[in-house]
Amino acid sequence: IHLRKKSTKKSNTNDKENLPLSSNMEFVVHNSLAYPLKKLKQEGFRIVGLEQTTTSQNLYSYTFERNSVVVVGNEKMGLSQDLLDIVDDCVEIPVYGLPYSYNVSHAVAMILYEYCKQYPQG
């Protein structure tokens, strides 16, 4: 699932600028992430996977590009190999002690915080 802007016809008023996010955006459902990720990559987005791999970079020293897409896998299985083949970079959150990883909801909060910290003006 991802969000995209709804197609809108041009009008002479600026009312659309004041609409809530839900009025300007729509959810798009795909059976697989591979196709939309490849399309976003072609559009110039940097695809960043949150995964522990032998080449993962430390989240806290990683520099995001403004147009980044964050991909998070299943809590137990992580990202599949076909998705790892698509991502440009993998980042991981350093963990000290057991367990060796964070709950996926906490991990997503941390990676989104790091992105927003680098781009505080949006």
Side-chain angles (χ1 to χ4, degrees), residues 11-58:
S11 69
N12 294 332
T13 66
N14 290 331
D15 292 341
K16 291 181 183 177
E17 293 176 13
N18 298 322
L19 293 174
L21 177 64
S22 61
S23 298
N24 293 321
M25 304 297 284
E26 64 182 333
F27 283 100
V28 180
V29 179
H30 299 276
N31 292 328
S32 166
L33 277 177
Y35 173 76
L37 289 179
K38 287 177 184 177
K39 187 172 180 188
L40 288 166
K41 196 172 190 173
Q42 289 173 346
E43 293 173 11
F45 284 85
R46 186 100 182 146
I47 311 299
V48 181
L50 181 58
E51 184 65 84
Q52 295 173 330
T53 69
T54 57
T55 60
S56 292
Q57 301 175 52
N58 185 319

Side-chain angles (χ1 to χ4, degrees), residues 15-113:
D15 292 341
K16 291 181 183 177
E17 293 176 13
N18 298 322
L19 293 174
L21 177 64
S22 61
S23 298
N24 293 321
M25 304 297 284
E26 64 182 333
F27 283 100
V28 180
V29 179
H30 299 276
N31 292 328
S32 166
L33 277 177
Y35 173 76
L37 289 179
K38 287 177 184 177
K39 187 172 180 188
L40 288 166
K41 196 172 190 173
Q42 289 173 346
E43 293 173 11
F45 284 85
R46 186 100 182 146
I47 311 299
V48 181
L50 181 58
E51 184 65 84
Q52 295 173 330
T53 69
T54 57
T55 60
S56 292
Q57 301 175 52
N58 185 319
L59 172 62
Y60 302 118
S61 59
Y62 182 77
T63 303
F64 286 95
E65 291 186 14
R66 179 172 293 281
N67 290 331
S68 292
V69 173
V70 175
V71 182
V72 181
N74 177 289
E75 194 162 312
K76 284 187 178 182
M77 303 301 292
L79 294 175
S80 63
Q81 188 59 53
D82 66 320
L83 294 179
L84 288 172
D85 293 340
I86 296 169
V87 301
D88 297 303
D89 301 309
C90 279
V91 295
E92 67 178 299
I93 303 168
V95 179
Y96 306 98
L98 295 173
Y100 295 114
S101 64
Y102 290 99
N103 171 286
V104 71
S105 63
H106 295 141
V108 168
M110 287 185 255
I111 195 169
L112 293 177
Y113 175 81

